[in-house]
Amino acid sequence: MNGRYQQRNQEDPLRELREEIEKKPITEFTDKEIFHRNGHASRVAKKADVSSVQLRKVFQEFKAIVDKLKKEKESDPNEAIERAMGRLYKLYAILEYQANRNVIKEYFKNYMFALFNNIENHKSIEAFEKAYDLLMAIVAYSKTKKS
């Protein structure tokens, strides 16, 4: 059996957290739910088996999308959101590529897809900003997950 087959059939430690993201608009997550030491970000960081390098790559790509959105929103917010969505679709492809190369786990890719789908379903600057906060906190907590 190849590694990819085994990876697709592995236990999903992020299932419960992914389901939270699928059920509730990202804009309704409170700061406490995101940032608390027992909050969503902390639990993802503890359960996700993803290297800090790969996590930072995803975060940096997403940060670039949000930074550009913030610059463009002044002229036409709706158009800025649509352009940001176009850039977000590219991030889906990057994550799929990483999963296909076994650089990230399939369940982490699925969690990120659920987050991006949430943004798409609730298109707003606030949705991008809340997702940014969540990813930033996951990166921060990933540095302490071993402790």
Side-chain angles (χ1 to χ4, degrees), residues 12-14 17 40-52 55 104-105 107-109 111-112 138 142 145-146:
D12 181 354
L14 297 178
L17 295 163
H40 197 91
S42 173
R43 292 182 293 149
V44 169
K46 287 176 185 165
K47 293 180 179 190
D49 182 18
V50 60
S51 75
S52 60
L55 188 54
I104 62 170
K105 303 287 186 190
Y107 63 79
F108 181 72
K109 178 200 80 172
Y111 173 83
M112 295 304 300
I138 292 169
S142 73
K145 71 179 178 183
K146 301 287 188 234

Side-chain angles (χ1 to χ4, degrees), residues 15-106:
R15 183 182 55 78
E16 179 185 324
L17 295 163
R18 187 186 71 246
E19 289 171 356
E20 283 179 34
I21 289 287
E22 291 170 342
K23 291 178 185 173
K24 182 177 179 179
I26 189 70
T27 55
E28 292 181 11
F29 277 75
T30 65
D31 286 348
K32 182 177 180 179
E33 288 174 306
I34 292 173
F35 294 112
H36 191 274
R37 62 187 166 95
N38 295 319
H40 197 91
S42 173
R43 292 182 293 149
V44 169
K46 287 176 185 165
K47 293 180 179 190
D49 182 18
V50 60
S51 75
S52 60
V53 170
Q54 291 306 315
L55 188 54
R56 289 216 44 92
K57 277 185 183 181
V58 172
F59 174 71
Q60 289 299 328
E61 291 287 338
F62 192 79
K63 181 181 183 310
I65 293 169
V66 172
D67 288 347
K68 198 156 192 161
L69 173 62
K70 287 179 180 178
K71 287 180 186 174
E72 295 175 348
K73 73 180 180 182
E74 297 306 318
S75 59
D76 182 355
N78 292 330
E79 183 61 32
I81 290 169
E82 287 306 316
R83 283 193 297 273
M85 289 306 304
R87 292 186 285 273
L88 186 65
Y89 297 139
K90 292 177 186 175
L91 196 46
Y92 279 98
I94 291 168
L95 286 166
E96 187 68 47
Y97 177 71
Q98 289 178 329
N100 288 340
R101 291 181 46 234
N102 292 322
V103 175
I104 62 170
K105 303 287 186 190
E106 188 76 15

